[in-house]
Amino acid sequence: QVQLVESGGGLVQPGGSLRLSCAASGFTLGRYTIGWFRQAPGKEREGVSCISVNDGSTYYAGSTYYADSVKGRFTISRDNAQNTVYLQMNSLKPEDTAVYTCATDLRMTCSIRSVVGMNYRGKGTLVTVSS
């Protein structure tokens, strides 16, 4: 049974940093893509980032993808041994306020567009950026 549990959200001042974690169980994280999407109050779901499979081959080399709105500020990473994916968020802005959810569709590749439709999702963690 696939389960994803997020943690690490909270209140942070503009310009601050947070690291979100997503603990995966029921599948081997390193064999599939995983990503993050967010949804702010009154807004549509937005893909934030995803990371494709890294199996040590040239083709599946763990490529990462980011929404333009977070590029250069957010970094996605994966610890396959811990079956955990992280989202390091720096230089946070008030417009980053949202519920952040990790998701997977148990496929080998991903895109920012595909993240919002991934069918296995956690419950999300709230990030509030405010002074």
Side-chain angles (χ1 to χ4, degrees):
Q1 180 181 1
V2 173
Q3 286 192 322
L4 300 167
V5 180
E6 304 92 340
S7 61
L11 174 64
V12 63
Q13 292 187 340
S17 298
L18 278 177
R19 188 177 80 156
L20 305 183
S21 300
C22 174
S25 61
F27 67 105
T28 302
L29 181 62
R31 295 182 180 175
Y32 303 103
T33 66
I34 193 161
W36 294 87
F37 64 83
R38 67 186 180 185
Q39 189 163 22
K43 294 190 176 181
E44 292 187 355
R45 193 174 292 166
E46 176 189 21
V48 174
S49 180
C50 66
I51 184 167
S52 62
V53 171
N54 179 357
D55 66 352
S57 70
T58 300
Y59 186 75
Y60 294 119
S63 298
T64 56
Y65 303 89
Y66 299 95
D68 288 342
S69 57
V70 307
K71 205 170 291 183
R73 300 187 297 121
F74 291 12
T75 303
I76 190 170
S77 62
R78 177 174 56 203
D79 185 336
N80 292 340
Q82 297 294 323
N83 238 36
T84 300
V85 64
Y86 302 98
L87 186 68
Q88 177 67 43
M89 307 186 296
N90 299 329
S91 302
L92 283 161
K93 306 174 181 180
E95 51 264 42
D96 294 318
T97 295
V99 174
Y100 286 73
T101 303
C102 67
T104 182
D105 54 6
L106 299 183
R107 295 183 179 180
M108 306 291 276
T109 59
C110 67
S111 68
I112 291 302
R113 184 175 294 182
S114 72
V115 174
V116 297
M118 290 181 174
N119 51 338
Y120 296 100
R121 307 164 186 165
K123 293 184 178 180
T125 185
L126 176 63
V127 172
T128 303
V129 184
S130 175
S131 55

